[in-house]
Amino acid sequence: MGKVKIKKKETRIDMTAMSDVTVLLLTFFMLTSTFLQKEPITVITPPSVSEEKVPDANLLSVLVSPDGKVFLEVLGDKDSTLKSETVRADLLKNMAAEYNKLHPSNPVKFTAKQIDAFSKQNAFGVPMNQMAKWLDMPIDQRDKALEKAGIPINMNEDPNNPNEFQMWIRAAYNSMNENLQQAMVKGKGISIKADQTTPYSVVNVVMDNLQTMKMNKFSLMTALKAEEE
Amino acid sequence: MAKNLSRQKKFDTRIDFTPMVDMNMLLITFFMLCTTMIKSQTLQIALPSNEKVEQEQQNKVKQSEAVTIIIDGKVDDKGLSKPDEGMLYFFDGMPPQGEELKNLATSNPMKQIEFGAKTGGPLTPIREILQERNKEVLKKINELKKDWKEMKFDPKNEERNDSIYQAKARVIRNDSTLKRPVIIIKATPNASYAHVVSVLDEMAINSISRYQIDRINEVDSAMMILLQGQNVK
């Protein structure tokens, strides 16, 4: 009797189908994704039943940390000449002009390189007299410094003598991006993003500042909550 | 020559896809980790202007329609507001004035309710009160909702059915012939932001079109202190 020949099995698996699936998934993720933006503080927004989505263009978000630090984020227009970078550069120039009007003895000035660095920054919030120094830092140090800073803000109801937060609001309102201005008037352009554990006194300061700047309409950022019927 | 050609070795046309799959998997992982799928929602609010003129206009709100809600909370030693602890104070009508102020201790119009167990938790007690005040509007809205569920506005087009419903609901919410309450929302400095948002949410849930956020004043705090004193006894 001859030996029974054991048939050699092919160990290679056909990966074509697997590849098809992964490419499909990849395409899906690439098309639906919006990248997470780096934020100086992490906030968990409170839940609400509101179904209105946050606009993804022409938005000034006010990021409020539970201990009262305030940061700003600016989004420009989509698909136009007023991209976020352009709008931010313009905003900084406006803000410098506003600031120098009130502090003529101690004016701030920015180099083209600093303005360029600012335009690439998603969130910002350091006092104006430290802004130039902050923009000169390398990116990783900048993030760390930002966490400790925050825009100077206080209870101030005199629009003729604004604090820095109010100046930023005015600078954003008067920037070359008219769509942002319109959105701000309609109440869709300003959004407060605060953590749910924030005491009301902290949020109230921000709201009061906005009221002083005649921005009586704005929105609060919330997470979706399903409402049981 | 011809023989040579026919003996040409056959190439295996199958390509090994394993490295391709590896690379794709890596890319997918990268995209999954770096993206946000859920977009945040927003809640639109409008505050009264800081100017004095409008403050006086607010006071003209009819006495029977006004409900003032005051949100109170507790702050822990880190300065964070506890989202699961809170108290709601409320009273109907105008805040006490003149003579009424002297009799606050005996006839305090304010009542209090405990907040729901957790943030975003059920606010049933205050919801019942709001629904009672806004029952005329809610009755009509509920009738409308029934029609909407049965797709009566447009049986074929769901989107159109929705938009007609929304438009009709808006008309009802702003119908001045119905008895609609005016809610004045106030919060103490210790109240948590989450509580303020959930009370604002109640306005949307209960189809209340007229509400405003206001600052807490001395009379409010006096009433709260009195009420807390009474409870201790």
Side-chain angles (χ1 to χ4, degrees):
Chain A
M1 285 281 265
K3 266 189 185 170
V4 179
K5 259 192 193 169
I6 301 169
K7 209 181 175 189
K8 256 195 192 166
K9 267 188 188 163
E10 171 87 270
T11 47
R12 284 199 345 201
I13 311 162
D14 186 13
M15 278 289 178
T16 328
M18 181 76 171
S19 175
D20 287 352
V21 173
T22 52
V23 168
L24 258 178
L25 272 173
L26 192 59
T27 328
F28 168 75
F29 276 105
M30 279 174 79
L31 291 178
T32 54
S33 68
T34 42
F35 281 94
L36 273 180
Q37 295 288 353
K38 216 193 264 171
E39 286 179 342
I41 44 163
T42 334
V43 294
I44 303 165
T45 50
S48 98
V49 289
S50 170
E51 281 172 3
E52 208 171 320
K53 291 265 187 282
V54 175
D56 48 8
N58 296 318
L59 180 72
L60 182 73
S61 349
V62 186
L63 205 62
V64 186
S65 82
D67 52 352
K69 283 187 203 131
V70 175
F71 306 92
L72 283 175
E73 286 171 20
V74 178
L75 284 179
D77 215 342
K78 263 189 170 178
D79 317 315
S80 82
T81 49
L82 299 166
K83 288 234 185 297
S84 296
E85 283 80 17
T86 329
V87 172
R88 281 181 204 140
D90 185 56
L91 174 67
L92 186 65
K93 283 179 210 154
N94 266 346
M95 179 59 190
E98 287 274 346
Y99 183 83
N100 292 344
K101 249 191 275 170
L102 269 172
H103 302 85
S105 57
N106 211 353
V108 289
K109 238 183 159 183
F110 297 106
T111 61
K113 203 183 151 208
Q114 284 166 340
I115 292 175
D116 185 57
F118 184 82
S119 69
K120 293 197 177 88
Q121 192 71 29
N122 175 47
F124 55 89
V126 291
M128 274 310 266
N129 50 19
Q130 296 165 24
M131 183 64 95
K133 214 175 114 198
W134 179 65
L135 289 173
D136 282 336
M137 291 179 186
I139 290 180
D140 53 330
Q141 278 182 39
R142 218 188 280 162
D143 289 341
K144 269 185 202 144
L146 184 61
E147 279 168 34
K148 291 185 195 120
I151 298 172
I153 188 168
N154 58 358
M155 256 328 196
N156 171 31
E157 295 188 356
D158 178 13
N160 297 319
N161 186 19
N163 59 34
E164 280 192 27
F165 176 75
Q166 290 165 338
M167 282 193 251
W168 279 112
I169 299 289
R170 188 180 287 164
Y173 183 79
N174 293 330
S175 75
M176 63 184 189
N177 186 357
E178 280 172 12
N179 297 339
L180 177 62
Q181 192 180 55
Q182 275 164 22
M184 281 166 93
V185 171
K186 277 185 205 146
K188 289 184 194 293
I190 304 180
S191 190
I192 296 183
K193 192 175 186 184
D195 195 88
Q196 49 183 356
T197 55
T198 313
Y200 181 67
S201 51
V202 169
V203 185
N204 191 32
V205 173
V206 177
M207 289 186 178
D208 196 75
N209 271 279
L210 289 172
Q211 265 179 299
T212 305
M213 299 316 286
K214 301 220 162 58
M215 297 290 157
N216 293 325
K217 280 187 198 163
F218 47 83
S219 54
L220 307 174
M221 244 182 238
T222 56
L224 187 63
K225 171 179 76 176
E227 180 54 35
E228 70 286 358
E229 285 284 324
Chain B
M1 279 294 263
K3 249 187 180 177
N4 259 348
L5 262 181
S6 66
R7 280 240 227 101
Q8 204 173 34
K9 205 182 172 190
K10 258 195 187 165
F11 279 104
D12 191 359
T13 47
R14 283 199 347 198
I15 308 164
D16 186 10
F17 269 100
T18 326
M20 173 84 168
V21 170
D22 287 354
M23 186 200 66
N24 282 343
M25 279 298 188
L26 264 177
L27 278 173
I28 289 176
T29 327
F30 168 73
F31 273 98
M32 277 173 80
L33 290 179
C34 297
T35 55
T36 38
M37 295 295 262
I38 309 156
K39 271 187 87 182
S40 297
Q41 265 67 28
T42 62
L43 194 67
Q44 292 274 342
I45 57 167
L47 294 183
S49 154
N50 259 1
E51 283 152 34
K52 283 266 145 56
V53 194
E54 300 209 9
Q55 293 252 318
E56 273 160 32
Q57 277 178 351
Q58 288 174 22
N59 293 338
K60 284 180 189 159
V61 169
K62 268 191 231 155
Q63 192 170 344
S64 59
E65 292 176 342
V67 180
T68 307
I69 299 178
I70 299 167
I71 309 157
D72 192 16
K74 278 209 183 95
V75 173
D76 63 11
D77 44 5
K78 275 186 207 148
L80 300 180
S81 216
K82 295 177 184 168
D84 49 357
E85 267 180 65
M87 201 64 106
L88 281 177
Y89 298 87
F90 70 96
F91 63 90
D92 292 294
M94 287 278 103
Q97 287 163 333
E99 275 300 300
E100 290 170 333
L101 280 179
K102 290 177 190 157
N103 304 327
L104 263 190
T106 47
S107 62
N108 195 343
M110 192 179 267
K111 293 182 193 86
Q112 66 176 359
I113 358 172
E114 193 124 4
F115 230 95
K118 281 216 167 85
T119 317
L123 281 166
T124 338
I126 192 73
R127 188 173 295 172
E128 273 166 14
I129 290 156
L130 291 173
Q131 279 172 351
E132 164 65 25
R133 302 291 188 280
N134 202 26
K135 59 184 175 205
E136 287 187 20
V137 173
L138 279 173
K139 203 178 144 212
K140 287 212 167 184
I141 293 270
N142 283 339
E143 281 167 18
L144 200 68
K145 219 179 229 168
K146 226 168 135 195
D147 287 353
W148 168 66
K149 276 198 180 136
E150 287 163 14
M151 304 263 294
K152 273 192 186 161
F153 304 119
D154 194 328
K156 280 165 203 136
N157 189 341
E158 201 170 323
E159 226 165 82
R160 210 172 146 249
N161 188 48
D162 276 1
S163 64
I164 293 176
Y165 164 73
Q166 295 291 354
K168 286 197 172 181
R170 201 174 307 130
V171 171
I172 293 176
R173 279 200 289 269
N174 296 317
D175 186 350
S176 54
T177 58
L178 298 172
K179 194 182 160 208
R180 296 172 302 155
V182 177
I183 314 290
I184 299 152
I185 302 164
K186 298 179 179 185
T188 66
N190 287 349
S192 95
Y193 175 59
H195 288 171
V196 179
V197 170
S198 52
V199 169
L200 285 171
D201 232 21
E202 286 301 306
M203 303 299 128
I205 294 169
N206 298 313
S207 302
I208 290 165
S209 57
R210 298 192 292 176
Y211 59 89
Q212 59 200 33
I213 301 176
D214 207 345
R215 267 175 239 173
I216 197 155
N217 58 30
E218 293 93 346
V219 181
D220 298 325
S221 7
M223 285 198 289
M224 278 167 65
I225 292 166
L226 274 174
L227 191 65
Q228 282 158 358
Q230 280 165 12
N231 287 350
V232 172
K233 276 175 211 164

